[in-house]
């Protein structure tokens, strides 16, 4: 594959992954876990794009407390390729930070923005889309986002309503975005699926450094101005302090809300490469083989009269007897047992633990 | 309390306690666990009777593989007070073994037979009953069993149907046994409770050594004869070998089936001292305080929208989210999650594990 020299990857690895407790902890979020397979999600993310974007053009943005995790999991990454946030302010400042650095290196460069914790089954097809998106971002000077052809009326994702293809009559998977849509009700999700003009919002973006910088300037001056101030400190001894100052100044805002929904012309690629954001434990059901009772498991597992359950077992065995529709996650020092339909509420458990001094060590 | 010099205790500690997996294991059955409180069940059993029967007159019968557990949990017990079975053959041979030893020491002695894994809330009342039973066993030369006034229509216990009191018109809690009854259906158990002439069969016995020996001779010659043969070897170098020979010769038979149900005259004490055989995990509900959602827990526990569940957590925390009527038991290397109504079926889980070579280490 053609490794375009001006193509850069920015891996967003700032997530806390609370929904993957007890495997994910404050000191080791989801993207640093081997949720499936023998490599961590961030390792998979970097390795997946290697045929198109080699390690030396990969930047990782993450919380500063996870620096050592990144360095140990991606040992070939140089220190200056790890951009550390003092605290999270959602995706717009995170992307802004990377834009500021890349603008210094290669303002004509094209950057691919990827979350660190997604799974992709068809890597070839994914790279093909990514390359096509980069070409379009280069030619059209547009903001391009990758959408995903929905497989089911999923209510856990945002949707992108798309309109005309970018080239009249041409057979292209790229379209003009009509509207970004919030996570829908099941009824609406079903209608979107039927309509055929809606894609899942994957949170993956491709654009020229200067195009996104201009968009920040136009739509998100509250982030753009502190960024411009910060840029002066890049490469100086005051850089770290300047990052802190910038993060203190900017609002918490997502790139979708702050930029994408406001920009006049956004393009979206209609992707079909087995994408999965693996948003919570039940997401594993799509990747593991079910037994005759509909259970999926990783690790030592035994069951009698147990149905449709999901079991993750580290450091030992999980036994189910006469239960159904459960998620059971065992780590060395914690066990979560929840109804499969409650996976979005793990945060409530963590909140409760935060209120108890002796349980904080399990967060 | 009067420590009658001729009163001996025989603690039956041969149980495997599979229903308390994963806390109980093949190498550490229920009676050696701290199921409730800071002492193990066998320690509690021995300490409870100390005001009546001091340690030097206590004998423990258990499987030979548990010798070191007994010695470490009951360090004051002398080596010759631990009688080791090569394998279990139910309660009749176990009691027979102790009878053979006590017959050598004090054929006129009275022996109290107690399971090692029961709980008793009112220890004073229990000792009072035990003393009274010993007096009756002495005077009447009868086989005496301790029954328990039923608190609910329990279907997990056998029952004892009693008739007339031992002394006409006297206010005594001791009665003639009419019949031993198998574990009943719920309907029958309700009828027994209403009738008022039924007691739970606790498996605790009091009798003279020579009385029970005579009963073995009369009703269970298949055990009596190998025992008589074995008695010759007591105190010799061939003792251990003789025990093995005796155990190979005798049938698997319970004292209830083999002796009590056949003997002409059995007496039963009607006990009311908060007895609990703690037969399976749900038994803990009777001993632990419920939270507002009806959950009981030992160890670190957090819950959101969880009801009527039982949680035991060792080495870490258990979190429940959106579940009900579960039993969750966590140890360092194993977790059991089961419906509360399935506690009698833990054996089925263990059977399944036995079929998998790599899971045998968890048994």
């Amino acid at each position: 594959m053609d490794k375009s020299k001006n193509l850069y990857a920015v891996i967003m690895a700032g997530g806390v992954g609370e929904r993957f407790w007890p495997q994910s902890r404050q000191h080791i979020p989801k993207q640093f876990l081997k949720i499936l397979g023998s490599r961590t999600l961030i390792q998979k993310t970097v390795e997946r794009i290697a045929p198109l974007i080699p390690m030396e053009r990969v930047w990782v943005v993450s919380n500063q407390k996870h620096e050592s995790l990144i360095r140990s999991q991606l040992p070939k990454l140089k220190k200056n390729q790890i951009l550390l946030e003092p605290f999270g302010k959602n995706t717009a400042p995170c992307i802004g930070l990377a834009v500021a650095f890349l603008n210094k290196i290669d303002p004509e460069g094209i950057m691919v923005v990827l979350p660190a914790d997604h799974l992709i089954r068809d890597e070839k097809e994914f790279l093909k889309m990514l390359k096509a998106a980069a070409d379009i971002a280069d030619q059209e000077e547009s903001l391009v986002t990758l959408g995903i052809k929905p497989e089911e009326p999923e209510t856990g994702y945002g949707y992108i309503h798309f309109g005309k293809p970018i080239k009249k009559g041409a057979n292209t998977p790229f379209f003009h975005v009509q509207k970004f849509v919030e996570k829908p009700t099941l009824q609406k999700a079903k209608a979107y699926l039927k309509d055929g003009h809606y894609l899942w919002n994957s949170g993956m973006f491709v654009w020229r450094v200067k195009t996104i910088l201009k968009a920040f300037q136009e739509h998100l001056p509250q982030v753009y101005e502190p960024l411009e101030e910060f840029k002066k400190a890049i490469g100086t001894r005051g850089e770290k302090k300047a990052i802190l100052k910038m993060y203190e100044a900017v609002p918490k805002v997502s790139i979708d809300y702050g930029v994408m929904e406001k920009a006049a012309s956004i393009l979206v690629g209609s992707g079909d490469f087995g994408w999965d954001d693996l948003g919570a434990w039940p997401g594993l059901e799509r990747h593991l083989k079910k037994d005759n009772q509909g259970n999926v498991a990783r690790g030592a597992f035994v069951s009698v009269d147990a149905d449709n359950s999901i079991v993750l077992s580290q450091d030992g065995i999980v036994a189910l007897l006469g239960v159904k529709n459960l998620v059971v996650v065992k780590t060395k020092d914690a066990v979560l047992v929840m109804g499969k339909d409650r996976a979005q509420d793990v945060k409530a458990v963590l909140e409760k633990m935060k209120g108890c001094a002796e349980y904080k060590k399990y967060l």
Side-chain angles (χ1 to χ4, degrees), chain A residues 9-15 30-31 41-46 48-49 59-61 91 94-95 112-120 126 130 146 201-205 255-256 275-277:
Chain A
V10 171
I11 313 289
M12 295 188 290
K30 173 189 170 197
Q31 58 273 24
L41 292 175
I42 194 169
Q43 285 173 329
K44 287 188 183 194
T45 301
V46 170
R48 181 186 299 136
I49 58 170
W59 268 255
V60 172
V61 191
T91 48
C94 160
I95 290 170
V112 165
V113 179
L114 302 170
D117 57 355
H118 291 178
L119 283 177
I120 284 165
F126 169 65
L130 212 55
L146 291 189
N201 185 349
S202 75
M204 299 189 279
F205 309 100
I255 194 78
D256 295 73
W275 170 87
D276 193 339
D277 89 331

Side-chain angles (χ1 to χ4, degrees), chain A residues 43 67-75:
Chain A
Q43 285 173 329
E67 183 179 5
S68 61
L69 273 176
I70 297 167
R71 292 172 75 92
S72 71
Q73 296 196 0
L74 300 169

Side-chain angles (χ1 to χ4, degrees), chain A residues 13-183:
Chain A
V16 291
E18 288 184 320
R19 277 173 292 188
F20 283 83
W21 187 89
Q23 278 195 21
S24 69
R25 302 289 173 103
Q26 284 182 346
H27 64 277
I28 181 158
K30 173 189 170 197
Q31 58 273 24
F32 302 112
L33 297 175
K34 296 170 186 166
I35 296 277
L36 285 166
S38 60
R39 304 288 283 163
T40 69
L41 292 175
I42 194 169
Q43 285 173 329
K44 287 188 183 194
T45 301
V46 170
E47 289 161 10
R48 181 186 299 136
I49 58 170
L52 191 62
I53 309 172
M55 184 72 93
E56 62 264 27
R57 292 206 303 275
V58 171
W59 268 255
V60 172
V61 191
S62 186
N63 188 287
Q64 58 191 21
K65 69 183 169 191
H66 299 133
E67 183 179 5
S68 61
L69 273 176
I70 297 167
R71 292 172 75 92
S72 71
Q73 296 196 0
L74 300 169
K76 287 181 183 165
L77 214 60
K78 283 180 194 147
K79 195 171 158 67
N80 66 355
Q81 290 172 279
I82 303 171
L83 307 179
L84 296 171
E85 302 183 282
F87 35 81
K89 285 253 168 140
N90 210 331
T91 48
C94 160
I95 290 170
L97 181 65
V99 167
F101 275 90
L102 290 177
N103 187 57
K104 199 106 182 176
I105 294 163
D106 185 357
E108 299 298 318
I110 295 165
M111 63 189 270
V112 165
V113 179
L114 302 170
D117 57 355
H118 291 178
L119 283 177
I120 284 165
R121 273 193 298 273
D122 187 346
E123 304 200 335
K124 259 191 186 166
E125 179 61 27
F126 169 65
L127 288 178
K128 217 173 100 184
M129 276 298 289
L130 212 55
K131 179 75 175 68
D135 289 345
I136 286 162
D138 196 21
Q139 292 154 24
E140 310 278 327
E141 299 201 2
S142 290
L143 302 177
V144 182
T145 179
L146 291 189
I148 309 293
K149 273 189 191 160
E151 292 163 22
E152 48 197 334
E154 174 67 53
T155 58
Y157 301 143
Y159 283 70
I160 298 169
H161 185 197
F162 65 88
K164 290 181 186 157
I166 52 168
K167 283 175 191 164
K168 247 187 195 163
N171 183 18
T172 170
F174 287 89
F175 302 87
H176 291 277
V177 169
Q178 289 215 338
K179 207 185 168 192
F180 285 85
V181 186
E182 294 287 304
K183 292 178 187 177

